[in-house]
């Protein structure tokens, strides 16, 4: 019990919270960027642009079948050999964005394809251009169907930030390792603290998504 009391001192908790803030910051930026790029890639695959869609599809399949850890290594250790030097945070955000964009692209493409083709045909028959029909008719319906899958992927992204500890990103897991590295009696207390913090952040995202889904349906 004493080890728990010592492990949860204000100094250690505040240190963990600093790591949690980095985790949230990296996650938010990566979610925004990956959603933007994922939407673009998903649309390119959906509209089937000659050659381009096939190339994009190959790249997406390639990235989706690579370990995320390998992409972390590439952005941090590989890019400098190509003359591109990124900070630790920029490397982590880049790796997460690359990997998650490929994942989201397939979710978005699948969501769009789940909408009956009659919706697009009806919109075009009423005078809308393809992109107008996509924006005002197809995408709003597809977005509703994609919410659960998107949120699940965003939650995975938040948890995947822990892999960035391999390139020494000072996120939550890295800070916990520093704490229990000083005293091995803190290992279990730190794991419990990590579990609680990750759960709170991920559960909060789930709650927000359900609120948004209900408001959109209302």
């Amino acid at each position: 019990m004493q080890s728990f009391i010592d492990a949860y001192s204000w100094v250690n908790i505040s240190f963990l919270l600093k790591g949690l803030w980095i985790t949230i910051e990296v996650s938010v930026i990566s979610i925004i960027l990956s959603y933007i790029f994922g939407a673009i890639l998903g649309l390119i695959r959906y509209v089937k642009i000659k050659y381009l869609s096939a190339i994009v599809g190959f790249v997406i399949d390639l990235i989706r079948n690579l370990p995320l850890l390998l992409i972390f290594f590439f952005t941090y250790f590989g890019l400098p050999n190509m003359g591109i030097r990124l900070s630790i945070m920029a490397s982590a955000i880049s790796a997460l964005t690359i990997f998650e964009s490929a994942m989201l692209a397939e979710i978005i493409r699948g969501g769009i394809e789940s909408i009956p083709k009659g919706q697009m045909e009806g919109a075009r028959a009423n005078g809308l251009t393809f992109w107008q029909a996509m924006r005002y008719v197809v995408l709003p319906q597809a977005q509703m169907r994609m919410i659960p899958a998107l949120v699940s992927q965003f939650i995975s992204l938040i948890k995947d930030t822990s892999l960035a500890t391999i390139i020494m990103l000072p996120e939550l897991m890295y800070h916990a390792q520093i704490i229990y590295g000083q005293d091995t009696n803190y290992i279990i207390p730190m794991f419990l603290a990590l579990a609680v913090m990750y759960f709170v952040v991920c559960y909060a995202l789930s709650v927000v998504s359900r609120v948004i889904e209900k408001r959109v349906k209302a």
Side-chain angles (χ1 to χ4, degrees):
M1 180 60 70
Q2 186 61 42
S3 63
F4 278 80
I5 295 174
D6 294 338
Y8 295 145
S9 66
W10 173 244
V11 174
N12 287 344
I13 294 299
S14 61
F15 190 62
L16 282 178
L17 290 175
K18 289 180 182 178
L20 179 61
W21 174 250
I22 296 296
T23 293
I24 293 173
E25 186 177 358
V26 169
S27 297
V28 169
I29 295 173
S30 300
I31 285 173
I32 294 172
L33 292 177
S34 61
Y35 184 78
I36 293 172
F37 290 122
I40 293 172
L41 295 175
L43 282 170
I44 290 175
R45 290 213 66 189
Y46 173 76
V47 298
K48 295 179 175 58
I49 301 173
K50 190 175 182 180
Y51 301 125
L52 179 59
S53 293
I55 294 172
V56 168
F58 172 77
V59 172
I60 288 174
D61 288 338
L62 176 64
I63 294 173
R64 290 175 68 230
N65 288 284
L66 291 177
L68 177 55
L69 195 60
L70 180 62
I71 300 177
F72 274 116
F73 279 129
F74 174 74
T75 57
Y76 188 66
F77 298 109
L79 288 181
N81 291 326
M82 301 168 62
I84 303 173
R85 296 188 178 277
L86 301 175
S87 66
I88 293 175
M89 181 172 285
S91 295
I93 292 173
S94 298
L96 287 167
T97 299
I98 291 170
F99 186 75
E100 295 300 328
S101 293
M103 296 297 187
L104 294 179
E106 287 302 285
I107 292 174
I108 292 170
R109 179 187 64 82
I112 296 174
E113 289 185 346
S114 71
I115 304 301
K117 295 186 181 298
Q119 296 289 319
M120 172 63 77
E121 294 170 355
R124 295 297 302 276
N126 281 285
L128 296 181
T129 64
F130 174 84
W131 292 110
Q132 286 175 331
M134 183 67 68
R135 178 181 177 184
Y136 297 112
V137 179
V138 177
L139 284 180
Q141 297 179 70
Q143 191 70 35
M144 283 297 303
R145 299 187 180 189
M146 289 187 285
I147 286 178
L150 289 175
V151 173
S152 178
Q153 196 61 45
F154 292 154
I155 289 174
S156 294
L157 185 153
I158 293 172
K159 292 183 289 187
D160 286 343
T161 58
S162 62
L163 294 175
T165 189
I166 198 69
I167 60 172
M168 296 179 291
L169 178 72
E171 44 74 59
L172 182 56
M173 180 67 76
Y174 185 79
H175 280 215
Q177 289 176 343
I178 291 176
I179 293 173
Y180 67 68
Q182 297 173 350
D183 190 334
T184 54
N185 291 322
Y186 294 169
I187 291 179
I188 294 179
M190 284 301 103
F191 283 168
L192 289 175
L194 288 173
V196 170
M197 289 183 177
Y198 278 118
F199 172 78
V200 169
V201 173
C202 294
Y203 184 72
L205 179 59
S206 298
V207 171
V208 170
S209 71
R210 285 198 292 267
V211 171
I212 293 174
E213 191 173 1
K214 287 179 180 179
R215 289 188 176 181
V216 172
K217 288 182 177 180

